[in-house]
Amino acid sequence: MTDMLYVLDLLGTIAFAASGALTGVRKQMDLLGVIMLGIVTATGGGVLRDVLMNDLPPFCFKNELYLYLAVGTSLLVFITPRRFEQQRNLLLMLDALGLGTFAVIGTMKALTYHLGFMGAIIMGVMTATCGGLVRDVLCNDIPLILQREIYASACIVGCTALYVMNLYSFPQAASLTVSAAIVIAIRCIAILRGWHLPRKFLQN
Amino acid sequence: MTDMLYVLDLLGTIAFAASGALTGVRKQMDLLGVIMLGIVTATGGGVLRDVLMNDLPPFCFKNELYLYLAVGTSLLVFITPRRFEQQRNLLLMLDALGLGTFAVIGTMKALTYHLGFMGAIIMGVMTATCGGLVRDVLCNDIPLILQREIYASACIVGCTALYVMNLYSFPQAASLTVSAAIVIAIRCIAILRGWHLPRKFLQN
Amino acid sequence: MTDMLYVLDLLGTIAFAASGALTGVRKQMDLLGVIMLGIVTATGGGVLRDVLMNDLPPFCFKNELYLYLAVGTSLLVFITPRRFEQQRNLLLMLDALGLGTFAVIGTMKALTYHLGFMGAIIMGVMTATCGGLVRDVLCNDIPLILQREIYASACIVGCTALYVMNLYSFPQAASLTVSAAIVIAIRCIAILRGWHLPRKFLQN
């Protein structure tokens, strides 16, 4: 993994942990609940990916820096939640950054393990979104990614781009950068413009 | 796996995906949420079984036809949900078919891996019901199979029959057919007659 | 594993299964729902631990006594829920016992697999609490351990003690006994005194 990707991965971990911990504070969970929700949101997607691909123990138990970052961020959020709430735009940007990074890492790993097209896309989307999905399930909410906006769909576009570039043997560093940038760009534009996917209403 | 079982398995995948996607449409999820719910409902039970038995990556990543069928069915449901709603009886019948097929496939796999009696039953029930269970959890409902009717219990009868026939070395093709038929028959009769399991009311 | 730890492990399995089954009865689930909830609560934490550490099939499929105990206890609860409700204090005590035992077993296993400090703590806490967490998710409640009292935090103290004693090569039997006793003692005192962790209120 390139150094830049590793740095982005750690930044994404912090952003996702902050999102989980903030949700915990809003739901009036206790200190430990907030930390657990931070850890699960930050690492849940990657852990599920590693379980399905049998690369165990999962990544964050091999390099515990991910876990320490998640715990540290959650503690900070618990102590000063208002400071994080006020930085909503910064958090949204970091979250988009994490989304793109996690997605391309998941797809890259699927390609290394010789999964097919569906496997490559699903592992990418799963790595990027399943932490947040478990966060919502634990908080007794319907997962946001099933209902809302351009989030998982941004991952699908970027992961497909990575799959195609890999098929045509583009240099890996360039492919990773381009496809992560695609996810981040789509996600940011979608936030700014309020884009969302179509829904179906049975009463129509 | 016999050819007939494979065909039934694919039919069951379609039925389960339709059930998941229809739930998604009813819950007003967006296009991607509907597809995700279709995939999870159709493959979730088998994926969990493969994780617990360490046969990874899970079946649907080895043969992506399952995933393509789930995505295709979910797309159709999203486009014409009313057509599927109107075919309620056909879907219930296909669902019963999938229930029986998934259950015997799970139990057969547990027997191949030399699990004990409880393992054989649990793997069968899990393969057949955990996709629907995850669907309900993601939709923020208490899982139907914990509350309702003869569903998982039909699997238990069929899986026990398969376990016993395997113990007495019946020919495999016959055992699989008979035990899947048992599950399907019990489920269909239960639907027609409105059978259900006893509940306990603490205030009694 | 020492004989005493094995006996405590079985007692804890019974207590956790009773807790799951009682929740099922309260939520008016049917017979099979009650049994499933009993099994999941009693074995869910250990199964998740074994999945993440790749020791598969999980412990309860290698030694099905755990599953038979969970099913038997759940059946008893379903038949005479009032008798169990009346023994609330006995159940709380057995639950504390199970908490301590499950936690040290999880941490011990993580140490055997050479996980780091975070891994050792998380595997201990997960083994002790994730069965109850899945029980709450299936019942559509926000998990109790994210909100309430000294429960997972008692595990953290005991698991940290075990980690430190292992670091300084204390004899294993003594370390296990002491650290399990720490968890059980903290949990019991917390119940008696109504201790709980701090929460944060955003409106403050």
Side-chain angles (χ1 to χ4, degrees):
Chain A
M1 195 154 63
T2 67
D3 282 353
M4 199 191 67
L5 203 61
Y6 183 53
V7 171
L8 289 177
D9 199 20
L10 297 180
L11 279 177
T13 300
I14 293 174
F16 278 42
S19 139
L22 265 179
T23 311
V25 171
R26 282 196 206 105
K27 293 262 171 182
Q28 308 200 342
M29 293 179 179
D30 68 16
L31 171 60
L32 203 61
V34 169
I35 292 176
M36 284 184 186
L37 221 52
I39 293 178
V40 163
T41 309
T43 66
V47 167
L48 189 55
R49 175 203 63 211
D50 288 352
V51 165
L52 295 187
M53 304 219 280
N54 210 15
D55 180 21
L56 297 169
F59 74 103
C60 56
F61 295 101
K62 286 179 183 148
N63 174 3
E64 296 200 333
L65 180 54
Y66 292 97
L67 291 169
Y68 284 108
L69 278 179
V71 171
T73 307
S74 305
L75 266 174
L76 277 182
V77 168
F78 186 79
I79 297 168
T80 58
R82 281 162 168 280
R83 184 165 305 172
F84 282 82
E85 293 260 325
Q86 283 157 4
Q87 299 298 329
R88 203 169 162 277
N89 286 332
L90 178 64
L91 280 181
L92 268 177
M93 217 196 67
L94 281 176
D95 188 86
L97 206 116
L99 192 76
T101 312
F102 286 21
V104 300
I105 289 176
T107 296
M108 188 178 66
K109 193 160 190 175
L111 293 172
T112 314
Y113 278 69
H114 304 293
L115 294 192
F117 172 67
M118 289 297 256
I121 305 304
I122 291 178
M123 289 302 160
V125 174
M126 186 182 281
T127 307
T129 65
C130 277
L133 190 139
V134 176
R135 173 200 64 207
D136 294 343
V137 166
L138 291 181
C139 290
N140 207 4
D141 294 326
I142 294 187
L144 279 175
I145 61 149
L146 298 179
Q147 307 181 77
R148 181 198 66 164
E149 314 171 15
I150 305 296
Y151 196 83
S153 38
C155 300
I156 293 181
V157 179
C159 295
T160 306
L162 181 54
Y163 181 84
V164 171
M165 287 189 279
N166 181 70
L167 208 64
Y168 290 100
S169 308
F170 275 46
Q172 202 184 47
S175 314
L176 289 172
T177 313
V178 170
S179 43
I182 292 176
V183 178
I184 298 167
I186 296 180
R187 174 67 186 138
C188 287
I189 299 175
I191 294 173
L192 291 175
R193 307 235 168 148
W195 283 353
H196 56 79
L197 284 187
R199 293 188 193 183
K200 203 85 186 189
F201 295 96
L202 270 178
Q203 49 275 41
N204 286 354
Chain B
M1 196 156 62
T2 68
D3 283 352
M4 199 192 68
L5 203 62
Y6 183 52
V7 171
L8 290 176
D9 199 20
L10 297 179
L11 280 177
T13 300
I14 293 174
F16 277 42
S19 139
L22 265 178
T23 311
V25 171
R26 280 195 207 105
K27 294 262 171 180
Q28 308 200 343
M29 293 179 179
D30 67 16
L31 171 60
L32 203 61
V34 169
I35 292 177
M36 283 183 185
L37 221 52
I39 294 178
V40 163
T41 310
T43 66
V47 166
L48 188 56
R49 174 203 64 211
D50 288 353
V51 165
L52 294 188
M53 303 219 280
N54 210 14
D55 180 21
L56 297 168
F59 74 104
C60 55
F61 294 100
K62 286 179 183 148
N63 175 3
E64 295 200 334
L65 180 54
Y66 292 98
L67 291 169
Y68 284 109
L69 279 179
V71 171
T73 307
S74 304
L75 266 175
L76 277 181
V77 168
F78 185 79
I79 296 169
T80 58
R82 281 161 170 279
R83 186 166 302 171
F84 282 82
E85 292 260 325
Q86 283 158 7
Q87 299 298 329
R88 205 171 161 275
N89 286 331
L90 178 63
L91 280 181
L92 268 177
M93 216 195 68
L94 282 176
D95 189 85
L97 206 116
L99 192 77
T101 312
F102 286 20
V104 300
I105 289 176
T107 296
M108 188 177 68
K109 194 161 189 174
L111 293 172
T112 313
Y113 278 69
H114 306 292
L115 295 193
F117 172 67
M118 289 297 256
I121 305 304
I122 290 177
M123 288 302 160
V125 174
M126 185 183 282
T127 306
T129 65
C130 277
L133 189 140
V134 176
R135 174 200 62 208
D136 294 343
V137 166
L138 290 182
C139 291
N140 208 4
D141 294 326
I142 294 187
L144 280 175
I145 61 150
L146 297 179
Q147 306 181 79
R148 180 197 68 165
E149 315 170 15
I150 304 297
Y151 196 84
S153 38
C155 299
I156 293 180
V157 178
C159 296
T160 307
L162 181 53
Y163 181 84
V164 171
M165 286 190 280
N166 180 72
L167 209 64
Y168 290 101
S169 309
F170 275 46
Q172 201 184 47
S175 314
L176 289 172
T177 312
V178 170
S179 44
I182 291 176
V183 178
I184 298 168
I186 295 179
R187 174 68 186 139
C188 287
I189 299 175
I191 294 173
L192 292 175
R193 305 234 167 147
W195 282 352
H196 55 80
L197 283 187
R199 293 188 193 182
K200 202 86 187 187
F201 295 97
L202 269 179
Q203 49 276 45
N204 287 353
Chain C
M1 197 156 62
T2 68
D3 284 351
M4 199 192 66
L5 203 61
Y6 184 53
V7 171
L8 289 177
D9 198 21
L10 297 180
L11 279 177
T13 300
I14 292 174
F16 278 42
S19 139
L22 265 179
T23 312
V25 170
R26 281 195 206 107
K27 294 263 172 180
Q28 308 200 342
M29 292 179 179
D30 68 16
L31 171 60
L32 203 60
V34 169
I35 292 176
M36 285 184 185
L37 221 51
I39 293 178
V40 164
T41 310
T43 66
V47 166
L48 189 54
R49 175 202 63 211
D50 287 352
V51 165
L52 294 188
M53 303 218 281
N54 210 13
D55 180 21
L56 298 169
F59 74 104
C60 56
F61 294 100
K62 286 178 183 149
N63 175 3
E64 296 200 334
L65 180 53
Y66 293 98
L67 291 169
Y68 284 109
L69 278 179
V71 171
T73 307
S74 305
L75 266 174
L76 277 181
V77 169
F78 185 80
I79 296 168
T80 58
R82 282 162 168 279
R83 184 167 305 171
F84 281 82
E85 292 260 325
Q86 283 158 4
Q87 299 299 328
R88 203 170 162 276
N89 285 331
L90 179 64
L91 280 181
L92 268 177
M93 216 195 68
L94 282 176
D95 188 86
L97 205 117
L99 193 75
T101 312
F102 286 20
V104 300
I105 290 176
T107 295
M108 187 177 69
K109 193 161 189 173
L111 293 172
T112 313
Y113 277 69
H114 305 292
L115 295 192
F117 172 68
M118 289 297 257
I121 305 305
I122 290 178
M123 289 302 161
V125 174
M126 185 182 282
T127 307
T129 65
C130 276
L133 188 140
V134 176
R135 173 199 64 208
D136 294 343
V137 166
L138 290 182
C139 291
N140 207 5
D141 295 326
I142 294 188
L144 279 175
I145 61 150
L146 298 178
Q147 306 181 77
R148 181 197 65 165
E149 311 170 16
I150 304 296
Y151 196 83
S153 37
C155 299
I156 294 180
V157 178
C159 295
T160 307
L162 181 54
Y163 181 84
V164 171
M165 287 190 279
N166 180 71
L167 210 63
Y168 290 100
S169 308
F170 275 46
Q172 201 184 48
S175 314
L176 289 172
T177 312
V178 171
S179 44
I182 291 175
V183 178
I184 298 167
I186 295 179
R187 174 68 186 138
C188 287
I189 299 175
I191 294 173
L192 292 175
R193 306 235 168 146
W195 282 353
H196 55 80
L197 284 187
R199 293 188 194 183
K200 202 85 187 187
F201 295 96
L202 270 178
Q203 49 276 40
N204 285 354

